[in-house]
Amino acid sequence: MPRATRRDRRGDTPPPRTGGNEADTLRGFLDYLRTSIAEKVDGAPEPQVRTAAVPSGTNLLGLLNHLIFVERSMFLGDDVTDWQATFQAAPADSVADVVARYRETVERANDVLDGCADLAAPVPRPRPGRPAPSVRWALTHMIEETGRHAGHADILRELIDGATGR
């Protein structure tokens, strides 16, 4: 395992300073985690970014690919039939492709959230036959989901090339 040098280590980015209301706080922390995981994956070397570093098969690029599907399901109404398959990026997808797709998905999700004034209202996603969760629940879940996988990504990236920090 490579040992990180002082030059390889990034300083931690402190938690966001958000507005005083609940929506600004939730969205501020979600965006903070989204940025953290995208930066953790961005620039990671091939093929290590796809290589499972743990027995479960989890790999760095797969984590970000999975979060694309979670964001799209939660905020854009996409139906995912095989969640396990989302943990693998397509062989033809480069790191830059997956990072760009994630950032574009986050932008689209934020466009939806920009139209949500009431945290108790359902997320306005076009998924017939399935009730949408409240905006509050969706934001809280996405903070949990993104934070969990950002933690996994921290460890996987450090195992790949010693890079640390968020």
Side-chain angles (χ1 to χ4, degrees):
M1 171 174 56
R3 184 172 164 93
T5 66
R6 210 163 185 37
R7 183 182 59 79
D8 295 329
R9 295 176 189 255
R10 288 190 308 167
D12 278 352
T13 303
R17 299 280 185 227
T18 62
N21 68 47
E22 183 182 8
D24 288 347
T25 301
L26 292 170
R27 290 195 59 189
F29 273 86
L30 179 55
D31 282 337
Y32 166 73
L33 291 167
R34 287 164 160 171
T35 299
S36 294
I37 194 163
E39 289 179 3
K40 185 63 63 173
V41 176
D42 198 16
E46 291 275 8
Q48 295 93 330
V49 71
R50 296 172 189 278
T51 304
V54 293
S56 67
T58 303
N59 66 81
L60 187 58
L61 194 60
L63 286 175
L64 194 62
N65 193 69
H66 170 71
L67 285 172
I68 292 168
F69 284 89
V70 178
E71 291 269 356
R72 292 182 61 83
S73 174
M74 185 61 61
F75 298 120
L76 305 176
D78 285 11
D79 190 26
V80 178
T81 57
D82 184 357
W83 282 105
Q84 195 58 40
T86 67
F87 282 96
Q88 298 296 322
D93 285 341
S94 69
V95 172
D97 293 335
V98 176
V99 170
R101 191 174 311 121
Y102 179 71
R103 289 180 172 144
E104 186 270 333
T105 299
V106 164
E107 186 176 313
R108 289 184 59 209
N110 278 339
D111 288 345
V112 169
L113 289 168
D114 288 345
C116 298
D118 181 3
L119 292 176
V123 175
R125 61 184 186 184
R127 189 186 287 176
R130 293 186 61 190
S134 71
V135 174
R136 178 181 291 106
W137 187 93
L139 287 168
T140 303
H141 172 65
M142 288 306 302
I143 290 167
E144 174 271 327
E145 181 82 5
T146 307
R148 179 175 188 238
H149 293 313
H152 296 144
D154 285 340
I155 293 166
L156 293 173
R157 182 64 190 259
E158 186 173 357
L159 289 171
I160 289 171
D161 62 6
T164 61
R166 44 171 194 232

